[in-house]
Amino acid sequence: MNQNIREDIFHSVEELFVKKVSGFKEIDRGFRNLKWIVYFDDHTSVFIKQYNQKRFDEEKLSHVKTALAIQDMAHRHGVCCSKVYEFDGQHLITSHQGQTFTVLEMMEGNVLPPGKASSAQMFSLGQALGKLHQSLSCISPSKLFWIPNKDR
């Protein structure tokens, strides 16, 4: 099943970028959504996230669209976050077989264990969060559309 979803999405990505996928690395993080680093034959790469159809109905996907637009705006304002690729004015793409996914700029990074960040890393994080808050100040706050729940 996951292989079929992957092949469907990769086929769509090849058409969108007009490039051939030469390889991928599956990312095993998160809950139910499929994620990959995709390598193209021209030695470039992107990050792809598929949104699980059981977890994301149309209402939740509309909020994801908003979040991706905000991330894209933050990236354009110099916040250190992945660029969200846009196709025909959309950040969320639907594959030929109905899978919803997004394509983001690939950024290197590491997950630090709790309590292991250095003072310099914490200072850098504070600077990045300040820039993010400044970037987000033009957006009016809204109600949370869902409360995180491990059971969903």
Side-chain angles (χ1 to χ4, degrees):
M1 173 80 139
N2 287 356
Q3 181 179 347
N4 293 341
I5 293 171
R6 183 185 72 233
E7 289 173 0
D8 174 43
I9 289 173
F10 286 14
H11 178 70
S12 295
V13 168
E14 286 179 332
E15 289 178 354
L16 292 168
F17 281 95
V18 192
K19 297 180 183 184
K20 184 80 174 136
V21 171
S22 62
F24 69 93
K25 176 181 174 187
E26 191 161 346
I27 305 298
D28 188 24
R29 278 216 155 94
F31 185 62
R32 290 192 182 161
N33 301 320
L34 302 174
K35 295 169 269 326
W36 308 272
I37 298 171
V38 173
Y39 305 99
F40 293 111
D41 57 2
D42 67 355
H43 306 289
T44 60
S45 59
V46 294
F47 176 81
I48 297 175
K49 178 177 180 178
Q50 173 259 1
Y51 292 90
N52 183 280
Q53 292 176 336
K54 290 179 182 172
R55 288 189 64 214
F56 288 89
D57 58 19
E58 285 303 313
E59 182 183 357
K60 283 186 182 179
L61 285 175
S62 74
H63 294 288
V64 170
K65 286 180 188 178
T66 301
L68 291 170
I70 291 169
Q71 179 175 335
D72 189 47
M73 183 261 321
H75 174 78
R76 284 184 274 117
H77 283 109
V79 175
C80 185
C81 60
S82 296
K83 167 189 170 56
V84 183
Y85 287 95
E86 191 174 330
F87 301 94
D88 293 327
Q90 300 295 316
H91 293 111
L92 280 181
I93 299 120
T94 303
S95 70
H96 297 292
Q97 294 177 12
Q99 294 295 324
T100 304
F101 66 98
T102 191
V103 182
L104 300 114
E105 170 188 31
M106 179 54 209
M107 294 182 77
E108 294 295 328
N110 296 306
V111 177
L112 293 175
K116 297 298 180 185
S118 69
S119 295
Q121 287 169 319
M122 293 303 293
F123 182 79
S124 177
L125 175 62
Q127 286 182 315
L129 286 174
K131 193 176 247 187
L132 177 62
H133 279 271
Q134 186 177 25
S135 175
L136 296 177
S137 66
C138 65
I139 300 170
S140 59
S142 63
K143 184 181 166 198
L144 285 175
F145 74 96
W146 64 286
I147 305 300
N149 180 338
K150 281 187 165 185
D151 295 334
R152 286 189 265 194

